[in-house]
């Protein structure tokens, strides 16, 4: 059986196919690299329309990554999907707060979801780079803490997926005047969120 | 801010929305629970057309899960997405062979991809429940070993995603007369693969 076996070769060819099928668009070079990676992850060209990149958001994310940052994720899947070698090169790390024991305990004590307790804990610990692929409640919590002046996020990826509350949670977070990238509507998810983080890192790190 | 916070309540309502928007279909009850969970994971109704469930495949998977099995995955993301509590109840476990040190070493020595070496290793160790969300080359390798009589898979989820080789790899694996579930075409991915495993486990395990 004859088939292509070189992973980087496959990726390069995939991106060529994606670009050729995208048709006309107005994305900048750096925006385009995010859009293409999301389509690469989903095989779904609808993301061309769903991806919202606020002006200046990419620059804010790159600044944090250059300085070395701790990335919050709301799922182990998003954490798994983020390229660890690139992360290491950038002196950055990623943590799934939702999976932490102390967060589970606090959620139970307070009668809130683990996602909400996780955001509180991350804010307490000074995290300012947030990646959401799953839980709408976490986005609401971050908005609430930001409006109260208790959280000062410097970059947010808002990509919860789902049929109940996901789209609304992303509309709500977009109302904040903050650097953010969101997936509008129902779509998104952990793998999409991770792919956006990777696209950002690959702007800084040679592979 | 008022929003739904109960995860199981959100899931139940999501499944109701999905079913109401699916329209007419010919899925059996157990097929339907897989289709709905894949749509729940992707917010993408195209999966209604892309999901191929071979006759008898669900029963084969359930038999393995009832007996207790080791599930092969080709990515840490797929591994992360599989419900560990349900897995434990079923005396089953999941392993991402691609991430193993000895597999990386063997791949290098033999000049093959890690995905291919991972399949070889899993077959050596008697694994017969395979979940592919990423690497087309792994599917080709499993087909090759099966045709040679060296591998005897009892259940396969073939869901590599991508623009180069993914669709073809799934066509190839479907040619085997084996119990399998595939995502036809370009779509699929680790989260889709994991959601199919979860849908199967939830047929046996109360949550």
């Amino acid at each position: 059986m004859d088939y292509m076996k070189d992973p980087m070769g496959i990726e390069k060819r995939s991106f060529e196919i994606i670009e050729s099928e995208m048709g006309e668009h107005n994305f900048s070079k750096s925006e385009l690299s995010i859009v293409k990676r999301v389509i690469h992850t989903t095989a779904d060209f609808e993301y061309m329309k769903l991806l919202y990149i606020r002006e200046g958001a990419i620059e804010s994310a790159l600044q944090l990554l250059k300085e070395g940052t701790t990335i919050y994720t709301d799922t182990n899947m998003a954490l798994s999907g983020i390229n660890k070698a690139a992360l290491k090169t950038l002196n950055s790390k990623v943590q799934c707060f939702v999976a932490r024991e102390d967060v589970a305990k606090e959620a139970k004590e307070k009668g809130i979801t683990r996602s909400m307790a996780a955001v509180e804990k991350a804010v307490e610990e000074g995290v300012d780079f947030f990646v959401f692929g799953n839980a709408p409640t976490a986005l609401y919590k971050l908005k609430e803490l930001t409006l109260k002046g208790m959280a000062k996020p410097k970059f947010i990826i808002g990509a919860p997926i789902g049929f109940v509350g996901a789209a609304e949670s992303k509309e709500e977070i977009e109302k904040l005047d903050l650097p953010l990238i969101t997936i509008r509507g129902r779509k998104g998810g952990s793998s999409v969120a991770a792919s956006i983080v990777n696209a950002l890192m690959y702007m800084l790190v040679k592979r």
Side-chain angles (χ1 to χ4, degrees), chain A:
Chain A
M1 285 177 268
D2 189 34
Y3 46 92
M4 211 167 168
K5 295 184 193 77
D6 162 38
M8 289 307 290
I10 291 173
E11 184 170 311
K12 187 166 172 279
R13 181 72 196 114
S14 301
F15 274 72
E16 287 165 6
I17 295 171
I18 292 166
E19 189 148 8
S20 75
E21 293 188 21
M22 277 180 70
E24 288 200 23
H25 62 76
N26 291 310
F27 296 111
S28 70
K29 198 183 158 216
S30 56
E31 287 170 348
L32 185 60
S33 66
I34 296 176
V35 179
K36 286 199 291 188
R37 190 156 293 277
V38 170
I39 295 172
H40 180 252
T41 298
T42 57
D44 185 347
F45 286 87
E46 200 191 341
Y47 282 98
M48 279 180 74
K49 288 181 293 181
L50 302 177
L51 189 68
Y52 168 67
I53 302 175
R54 181 157 294 164
E55 211 181 312
I58 293 175
E59 292 71 19
S60 297
L62 297 185
Q63 189 56 38
L64 290 170
L65 289 168
K66 273 185 219 166
E67 290 164 5
T69 189
T70 295
I71 300 174
Y72 166 103
T73 68
D74 61 343
T75 60
N76 273 319
M77 280 197 86
L79 183 146
S80 298
I82 293 173
N83 185 319
K84 302 304 176 303
L87 208 56
K88 199 177 167 193
T89 305
L90 292 163
N91 289 313
S92 293
K93 55 188 179 182
V94 56
Q95 207 185 116
C96 174
F97 281 79
V98 177
R100 272 169 54 166
E101 285 291 335
D102 56 339
V103 167
K105 196 165 160 256
E106 208 157 297
K108 212 171 172 185
E109 281 167 13
K110 293 189 182 172
I112 57 178
T113 68
R114 280 205 288 175
S115 302
M116 296 166 81
V119 168
E120 289 188 349
K121 184 63 77 181
V123 166
E124 250 176 65
E125 297 185 6
V127 172
D128 45 24
F129 189 127
F130 288 87
V131 177
F132 301 99
N134 183 49
T137 57
L139 270 184
Y140 283 109
K141 175 53 85 177
L142 184 59
K143 185 180 178 191
E144 184 189 313
L145 295 178
T146 304
L147 290 176
K148 283 184 185 166
M150 293 160 73
K152 298 201 187 328
K154 291 184 181 159
F155 179 66
I156 301 168
I157 296 174
I161 189 166
F163 294 84
V164 177
E168 295 81 354
S169 76
K170 294 179 280 191
E171 280 169 29
E172 283 304 316
I173 205 79
E174 278 189 20
K175 289 180 188 164
L176 294 176
D177 182 22
L178 286 173
L180 48 81
I181 296 178
T182 61
I183 304 294
R184 289 177 168 168
R186 288 168 166 178
K187 288 186 178 178
S190 297
S191 51
V192 169
S195 75
I196 296 171
V197 176
N198 289 338
L200 290 163
M201 294 197 297
Y202 300 157
M203 294 179 200
L204 299 172
V205 176
K206 277 251 187 314
R207 295 162 74 206

